[in-house]
Amino acid sequence: MRIDIITVEPDLLRSPFENSMMKRAIDKNLAEVYFHNLREFGFGNYRQIDDYQFGGGAGMVLMIEPIAKCIEKLKADREYDEIIYMTPDAKTLNQATANHLSLKKNIIILTGHYKGVDQRVRDKYITKEISIGDYVLTGGELAAAVLCDAVIRLIPGVLGDETSALTDSFQDNLLSPPVYTRPSEYEGMKVPEVLLSGNFPKIEAWRTEKAYERTEQIRPDLLDD
Ligand code: ADE
């Protein structure tokens, strides 16, 4: 999978891709990630990329021309399955969307800044808009890193233990059950007996029951779907 990220702050983005699972995916050639600094497509000596909004109001808006130039340049070299805009005024990212995107070949992720992008960018180019939650970040860079992490770890071959993504929270719209490791007793707190029993059907049944219990308590809305 190839991911092209258009950003005003490429340095803010680098670290998540240079560590842990995303680095591993890149090292194994299962993912290619490229950063494109929007400023390089800006106007004049100052490489202007934003301007005041028509109609007045606080906050600058990213202009369409620099973004269009960058997207058109990328599109000239290959076809893209999705052009995604990270923005808080969109549907919230969930596991189903991450699963869906992990099967794509080429995607562009556009990160917003300031008041966001000129609406015409969204109308002309964007095929999918994603928020990572009901709060506003300074820019879409961290949101893009979150999206990439959620997607890249699902690409076949990235995770060492292939089954572990399948047992993640949300993979079946349930939160994960509690997990334990050694010691089996800590300051009088014991690991549930069933997990030490070696009886795997019983362990599976216990885990499912706990997953439902946890989901009902913390995220009952997931059970409505
Ligand atoms: N940009 C700013 N806030 C965001 C959010 N919550 N999700 C995605 N992109 C954003």
Side-chain angles (χ1 to χ4, degrees):
M1 166 185 257
R2 176 184 168 119
I3 304 176
D4 288 281
I5 305 179
I6 304 173
T7 168
V8 183
E9 300 279 2
D11 289 342
L12 186 59
L13 261 174
R14 285 188 215 287
S15 165
F17 296 90
E18 289 170 354
N19 294 282
S20 187
M21 201 56 78
M22 289 206 277
K23 176 180 188 315
R24 194 160 126 185
I26 292 165
D27 288 348
K28 283 180 163 179
N29 292 322
L30 296 169
E32 283 173 85
V33 180
Y34 300 94
F35 303 129
H36 305 279
N37 190 339
L38 191 58
R39 218 162 263 291
E40 287 171 16
F41 299 86
F43 289 109
N45 289 345
Y46 291 104
R47 298 267 169 229
Q48 188 185 353
I49 50 170
D50 58 352
D51 212 332
Y52 296 101
Q53 50 178 316
F54 283 127
M60 305 293 273
V61 175
L62 291 173
M63 294 186 288
I64 188 167
E65 288 102 324
I67 297 171
K69 262 194 253 170
C70 184
I71 292 178
E72 293 293 353
K73 185 169 171 248
L74 291 169
K75 280 175 48 170
D77 290 338
R78 68 198 63 77
E79 275 193 20
Y80 284 91
D81 302 303
E82 297 277 7
I83 304 181
I84 300 166
Y85 175 47
M86 302 308 300
T87 177
D89 53 349
K91 283 212 176 126
T92 313
L93 176 63
N94 59 20
Q95 195 64 34
T97 303
N99 287 340
H100 168 80
L101 292 175
S102 73
L103 303 173
K104 304 291 178 192
K105 196 159 165 262
N106 297 319
I107 62 176
I108 293 175
I109 302 177
L110 171 65
T111 63
H113 242 262
Y114 320 112
K115 272 282 163 203
V117 300
D118 188 303
Q119 178 60 36
R120 290 166 292 184
V121 172
R122 299 167 77 160
D123 296 343
K124 183 168 163 70
Y125 290 111
I126 301 302
T127 60
K128 202 174 201 50
E129 300 188 333
I130 297 178
S131 163
I132 61 158
D134 293 341
Y135 42 82
V136 179
L137 302 168
T138 309
E141 283 74 16
L142 298 178
V146 167
L147 173 64
C148 288
D149 187 299
V151 169
I152 287 175
R153 64 193 294 283
L154 296 173
I155 298 171
V158 171
L159 292 183
D161 175 0
E162 287 301 276
T163 61
S164 76
L166 299 175
T167 57
D168 282 344
S169 271
F170 302 112
Q171 209 51 264
D172 44 14
N173 254 10
L174 290 176
L175 301 187
S176 290
V179 293
Y180 299 86
T181 185
R182 286 191 293 176
S184 58
E185 183 172 345
Y186 176 74
E187 294 186 351
M189 300 160 81
K190 288 186 180 159
V191 170
E193 204 68 50
V194 59
L195 296 179
L196 310 173
S197 69
N199 181 335
F200 293 104
K202 236 173 122 183
I203 291 172
E204 241 354 270
W206 180 89
R207 285 183 171 150
T208 304
E209 183 192 322
K210 292 291 163 192
Y212 272 100
E213 258 176 48
R214 221 177 225 190
T215 310
E216 241 160 28
Q217 269 172 17
I218 302 170
R219 292 289 309 275
D221 55 299
L222 292 175
L223 297 174
D224 297 340
D225 295 342

